[in-house]
PDB file of all heavy atoms in Angstrom:
ATOM      1  N   ASP A 201    -211.147-119.351  29.633  1.00 91.00           N
ATOM      2  CA  ASP A 201    -210.237-119.610  28.516  1.00 91.00           C
ATOM      3  C   ASP A 201    -209.613-118.315  27.991  1.00 91.00           C
ATOM      4  O   ASP A 201    -209.050-118.268  26.925  1.00 91.00           O
ATOM      5  CB  ASP A 201    -210.962-120.368  27.379  1.00 91.00           C
ATOM      6  CG  ASP A 201    -212.226-119.655  26.930  1.00 91.00           C
ATOM      7  OD1 ASP A 201    -212.531-118.576  27.506  1.00 91.00           O
ATOM      8  OD2 ASP A 201    -212.910-120.152  26.014  1.00 91.00           O
ATOM      9  N   GLU A 202    -209.746-117.252  28.789  1.00 92.00           N
ATOM     10  CA  GLU A 202    -209.180-115.972  28.369  1.00 92.00           C
ATOM     11  C   GLU A 202    -208.267-115.409  29.448  1.00 92.00           C
ATOM     12  O   GLU A 202    -208.590-115.470  30.635  1.00 92.00           O
ATOM     13  CB  GLU A 202    -210.310-114.937  28.152  1.00 92.00           C
ATOM     14  CG  GLU A 202    -211.076-115.175  26.887  1.00 92.00           C
ATOM     15  CD  GLU A 202    -212.037-114.033  26.616  1.00 92.00           C
ATOM     16  OE1 GLU A 202    -212.273-113.220  27.537  1.00 92.00           O
ATOM     17  OE2 GLU A 202    -212.539-113.963  25.486  1.00 92.00           O
ATOM     18  N   LEU A 203    -207.133-114.883  29.031  1.00 92.00           N
ATOM     19  CA  LEU A 203    -206.299-114.121  29.950  1.00 92.00           C
ATOM     20  C   LEU A 203    -206.574-112.657  29.625  1.00 92.00           C
ATOM     21  O   LEU A 203    -206.231-112.188  28.546  1.00 92.00           O
ATOM     22  CB  LEU A 203    -204.821-114.431  29.709  1.00 92.00           C
ATOM     23  CG  LEU A 203    -203.874-113.613  30.569  1.00 92.00           C
ATOM     24  CD1 LEU A 203    -203.810-114.181  31.978  1.00 92.00           C
ATOM     25  CD2 LEU A 203    -202.485-113.585  29.965  1.00 92.00           C
ATOM     26  N   VAL A 204    -207.237-111.957  30.565  1.00 95.00           N
ATOM     27  CA  VAL A 204    -207.630-110.586  30.255  1.00 95.00           C
ATOM     28  C   VAL A 204    -206.635-109.588  30.852  1.00 95.00           C
ATOM     29  O   VAL A 204    -206.288-109.660  32.031  1.00 95.00           O
ATOM     30  CB  VAL A 204    -209.068-110.306  30.760  1.00 95.00           C
ATOM     31  CG1 VAL A 204    -209.424-108.834  30.578  1.00 95.00           C
ATOM     32  CG2 VAL A 204    -210.045-111.185  30.002  1.00 95.00           C
ATOM     33  N   ILE A 205    -206.136-108.720  29.986  1.00 95.00           N
ATOM     34  CA  ILE A 205    -205.210-107.656  30.400  1.00 95.00           C
ATOM     35  C   ILE A 205    -205.857-106.327  30.020  1.00 95.00           C
ATOM     36  O   ILE A 205    -206.301-106.147  28.885  1.00 95.00           O
ATOM     37  CB  ILE A 205    -203.849-107.822  29.690  1.00 95.00           C
ATOM     38  CG1 ILE A 205    -203.178-109.113  30.173  1.00 95.00           C
ATOM     39  CG2 ILE A 205    -202.958-106.617  29.953  1.00 95.00           C
ATOM     40  CD1 ILE A 205    -201.908-109.481  29.433  1.00 95.00           C
ATOM     41  N   HIS A 206    -205.938-105.431  31.014  1.00 97.00           N
ATOM     42  CA  HIS A 206    -206.585-104.142  30.753  1.00 97.00           C
ATOM     43  C   HIS A 206    -205.558-103.077  30.416  1.00 97.00           C
ATOM     44  O   HIS A 206    -204.641-102.836  31.206  1.00 97.00           O
ATOM     45  CB  HIS A 206    -207.375-103.679  31.979  1.00 97.00           C
ATOM     46  CG  HIS A 206    -208.467-104.622  32.367  1.00 97.00           C
ATOM     47  ND1 HIS A 206    -209.491-104.963  31.525  1.00 97.00           N
ATOM     48  CD2 HIS A 206    -208.694-105.315  33.520  1.00 97.00           C
ATOM     49  CE1 HIS A 206    -210.306-105.822  32.136  1.00 97.00           C
ATOM     50  NE2 HIS A 206    -209.843-106.050  33.349  1.00 97.00           N
ATOM     51  N   PRO A 207    -205.698-102.414  29.278  1.00 97.00           N
ATOM     52  CA  PRO A 207    -204.854-101.241  29.038  1.00 97.00           C
ATOM     53  C   PRO A 207    -205.428-100.085  29.856  1.00 97.00           C
ATOM     54  O   PRO A 207    -206.651 -99.941  29.944  1.00 97.00           O
ATOM     55  CB  PRO A 207    -205.038-100.976  27.538  1.00 97.00           C
ATOM     56  CG  PRO A 207    -206.365-101.571  27.200  1.00 97.00           C
ATOM     57  CD  PRO A 207    -206.664-102.660  28.193  1.00 97.00           C
ATOM     58  N   ARG A 208    -204.571 -99.309  30.452  1.00 97.00           N
ATOM     59  CA  ARG A 208    -205.097 -98.157  31.210  1.00 97.00           C
ATOM     60  C   ARG A 208    -205.410 -97.048  30.204  1.00 97.00           C
ATOM     61  O   ARG A 208    -204.613 -96.140  29.992  1.00 97.00           O
ATOM     62  CB  ARG A 208    -204.089 -97.736  32.266  1.00 97.00           C
ATOM     63  CG  ARG A 208    -203.899 -98.814  33.325  1.00 97.00           C
ATOM     64  CD  ARG A 208    -203.182 -98.299  34.536  1.00 97.00           C
ATOM     65  NE  ARG A 208    -203.076 -99.281  35.596  1.00 97.00           N
ATOM     66  CZ  ARG A 208    -203.972 -99.466  36.572  1.00 97.00           C
ATOM     67  NH1 ARG A 208    -205.070 -98.728  36.603  1.00 97.00           N
ATOM     68  NH2 ARG A 208    -203.786-100.381  37.491  1.00 97.00           N
ATOM     69  N   SER A 209    -206.578 -97.196  29.590  1.00 97.00           N
ATOM     70  CA  SER A 209    -206.918 -96.340  28.456  1.00 97.00           C
ATOM     71  C   SER A 209    -208.154 -95.483  28.720  1.00 97.00           C
ATOM     72  O   SER A 209    -208.707 -94.891  27.806  1.00 97.00           O
ATOM     73  CB  SER A 209    -207.164 -97.229  27.233  1.00 97.00           C
ATOM     74  OG  SER A 209    -208.172 -98.179  27.525  1.00 97.00           O
ATOM     75  N   VAL A 210    -208.591 -95.421  29.977  1.00 98.00           N
ATOM     76  CA  VAL A 210    -209.800 -94.656  30.309  1.00 98.00           C
ATOM     77  C   VAL A 210    -209.436 -93.519  31.274  1.00 98.00           C
ATOM     78  O   VAL A 210    -208.647 -93.714  32.199  1.00 98.00           O
ATOM     79  CB  VAL A 210    -210.854 -95.569  30.980  1.00 98.00           C
ATOM     80  CG1 VAL A 210    -212.094 -94.763  31.376  1.00 98.00           C
ATOM     81  CG2 VAL A 210    -211.223 -96.725  30.068  1.00 98.00           C
ATOM     82  N   VAL A 211    -209.971 -92.348  31.045  1.00 98.00           N
ATOM     83  CA  VAL A 211    -209.786 -91.235  31.986  1.00 98.00           C
ATOM     84  C   VAL A 211    -211.166 -90.801  32.459  1.00 98.00           C
ATOM     85  O   VAL A 211    -212.083 -90.645  31.645  1.00 98.00           O
ATOM     86  CB  VAL A 211    -209.059 -90.054  31.320  1.00 98.00           C
ATOM     87  CG1 VAL A 211    -208.990 -88.858  32.260  1.00 98.00           C
ATOM     88  CG2 VAL A 211    -207.661 -90.472  30.882  1.00 98.00           C
ATOM     89  N   ALA A 212    -211.317 -90.645  33.768  1.00 97.00           N
ATOM     90  CA  ALA A 212    -212.596 -90.184  34.308  1.00 97.00           C
ATOM     91  C   ALA A 212    -212.471 -88.726  34.710  1.00 97.00           C
ATOM     92  O   ALA A 212    -211.619 -88.372  35.529  1.00 97.00           O
ATOM     93  CB  ALA A 212    -212.987 -91.028  35.518  1.00 97.00           C
ATOM     94  N   ALA A 213    -213.301 -87.871  34.115  1.00 96.00           N
ATOM     95  CA  ALA A 213    -213.321 -86.459  34.490  1.00 96.00           C
ATOM     96  C   ALA A 213    -214.482 -86.249  35.437  1.00 96.00           C
ATOM     97  O   ALA A 213    -215.589 -86.719  35.177  1.00 96.00           O
ATOM     98  CB  ALA A 213    -213.487 -85.599  33.247  1.00 96.00           C
ATOM     99  N   VAL A 214    -214.216 -85.563  36.540  1.00 95.00           N
ATOM    100  CA  VAL A 214    -215.292 -85.314  37.501  1.00 95.00           C
ATOM    101  C   VAL A 214    -215.371 -83.837  37.838  1.00 95.00           C
ATOM    102  O   VAL A 214    -214.354 -83.154  37.918  1.00 95.00           O
ATOM    103  CB  VAL A 214    -215.081 -86.084  38.824  1.00 95.00           C
ATOM    104  CG1 VAL A 214    -215.252 -87.570  38.625  1.00 95.00           C
ATOM    105  CG2 VAL A 214    -213.723 -85.776  39.433  1.00 95.00           C
ATOM    106  N   THR A 215    -216.573 -83.367  38.002  1.00 89.00           N
ATOM    107  CA  THR A 215    -216.748 -82.073  38.647  1.00 89.00           C
ATOM    108  C   THR A 215    -216.944 -82.416  40.108  1.00 89.00           C
ATOM    109  O   THR A 215    -217.429 -83.485  40.442  1.00 89.00           O
ATOM    110  CB  THR A 215    -217.990 -81.348  38.105  1.00 89.00           C
ATOM    111  OG1 THR A 215    -219.060 -82.273  38.092  1.00 89.00           O
ATOM    112  CG2 THR A 215    -217.735 -80.844  36.711  1.00 89.00           C
ATOM    113  N   VAL A 216    -216.497 -81.547  40.988  1.00 72.00           N
ATOM    114  CA  VAL A 216    -216.518 -81.905  42.395  1.00 72.00           C
ATOM    115  C   VAL A 216    -217.923 -81.758  42.932  1.00 72.00           C
ATOM    116  O   VAL A 216    -218.539 -80.715  42.768  1.00 72.00           O
ATOM    117  CB  VAL A 216    -215.563 -80.990  43.177  1.00 72.00           C
ATOM    118  CG1 VAL A 216    -215.480 -81.423  44.624  1.00 72.00           C
ATOM    119  CG2 VAL A 216    -214.211 -81.003  42.523  1.00 72.00           C
ATOM    120  N   PRO A 217    -218.438 -82.788  43.567  1.00 60.00           N
ATOM    121  CA  PRO A 217    -219.761 -82.636  44.163  1.00 60.00           C
ATOM    122  C   PRO A 217    -219.706 -81.601  45.275  1.00 60.00           C
ATOM    123  O   PRO A 217    -218.656 -81.435  45.884  1.00 60.00           O
ATOM    124  CB  PRO A 217    -220.061 -84.016  44.751  1.00 60.00           C
ATOM    125  CG  PRO A 217    -218.917 -84.882  44.411  1.00 60.00           C
ATOM    126  CD  PRO A 217    -217.811 -84.057  43.883  1.00 60.00           C
ATOM    127  N   GLY A 218    -220.782 -80.935  45.501  1.00 50.00           N
ATOM    128  CA  GLY A 218    -220.784 -79.952  46.585  1.00 50.00           C
ATOM    129  C   GLY A 218    -220.998 -78.561  46.044  1.00 50.00           C
ATOM    130  O   GLY A 218    -221.142 -78.337  44.846  1.00 50.00           O
ATOM    131  N   ALA A 219    -220.961 -77.636  46.959  1.00 39.00           N
ATOM    132  CA  ALA A 219    -221.417 -76.288  46.666  1.00 39.00           C
ATOM    133  C   ALA A 219    -220.624 -75.594  45.561  1.00 39.00           C
ATOM    134  O   ALA A 219    -221.147 -74.759  44.852  1.00 39.00           O
ATOM    135  CB  ALA A 219    -221.349 -75.460  47.939  1.00 39.00           C
ATOM    136  N   ARG A 220    -219.318 -75.943  45.440  1.00 43.00           N
ATOM    137  CA  ARG A 220    -218.478 -75.143  44.545  1.00 43.00           C
ATOM    138  C   ARG A 220    -218.545 -75.565  43.082  1.00 43.00           C
ATOM    139  O   ARG A 220    -217.920 -74.977  42.235  1.00 43.00           O
ATOM    140  CB  ARG A 220    -217.042 -75.165  45.042  1.00 43.00           C
ATOM    141  CG  ARG A 220    -216.969 -74.518  46.402  1.00 43.00           C
ATOM    142  CD  ARG A 220    -215.613 -74.191  46.926  1.00 43.00           C
ATOM    143  NE  ARG A 220    -214.523 -74.969  46.400  1.00 43.00           N
ATOM    144  CZ  ARG A 220    -213.358 -74.433  46.059  1.00 43.00           C
ATOM    145  NH1 ARG A 220    -213.201 -73.133  46.137  1.00 43.00           N
ATOM    146  NH2 ARG A 220    -212.376 -75.180  45.637  1.00 43.00           N
ATOM    147  N   VAL A 221    -219.328 -76.616  42.804  1.00 39.00           N
ATOM    148  CA  VAL A 221    -219.373 -77.104  41.432  1.00 39.00           C
ATOM    149  C   VAL A 221    -219.935 -76.073  40.481  1.00 39.00           C
ATOM    150  O   VAL A 221    -219.426 -75.867  39.391  1.00 39.00           O
ATOM    151  CB  VAL A 221    -220.177 -78.407  41.350  1.00 39.00           C
ATOM    152  CG1 VAL A 221    -220.456 -78.757  39.911  1.00 39.00           C
ATOM    153  CG2 VAL A 221    -219.405 -79.510  42.027  1.00 39.00           C
ATOM    154  N   GLY A 222    -220.978 -75.379  40.919  1.00 38.00           N
ATOM    155  CA  GLY A 222    -221.594 -74.372  40.073  1.00 38.00           C
ATOM    156  C   GLY A 222    -220.574 -73.356  39.602  1.00 38.00           C
ATOM    157  O   GLY A 222    -220.533 -72.982  38.439  1.00 38.00           O
ATOM    158  N   ALA A 223    -219.694 -72.957  40.535  1.00 38.00           N
ATOM    159  CA  ALA A 223    -218.650 -71.993  40.194  1.00 38.00           C
ATOM    160  C   ALA A 223    -217.761 -72.549  39.088  1.00 38.00           C
ATOM    161  O   ALA A 223    -217.391 -71.840  38.161  1.00 38.00           O
ATOM    162  CB  ALA A 223    -217.798 -71.677  41.423  1.00 38.00           C
ATOM    163  N   GLY A 224    -217.449 -73.832  39.186  1.00 38.00           N
ATOM    164  CA  GLY A 224    -216.587 -74.461  38.180  1.00 38.00           C
ATOM    165  C   GLY A 224    -217.235 -74.397  36.815  1.00 38.00           C
ATOM    166  O   GLY A 224    -216.606 -74.006  35.834  1.00 38.00           O
TER     167      GLY A 224
END
Side-chain angles (χ1 to χ4, degrees):
D201 54 0
E202 285 188 346
L203 176 78
V204 174
I205 294 173
H206 299 301
R208 295 194 176 270
S209 56
V210 178
V211 175
V214 291
T215 47
V216 185
R220 297 192 335 138
V221 169

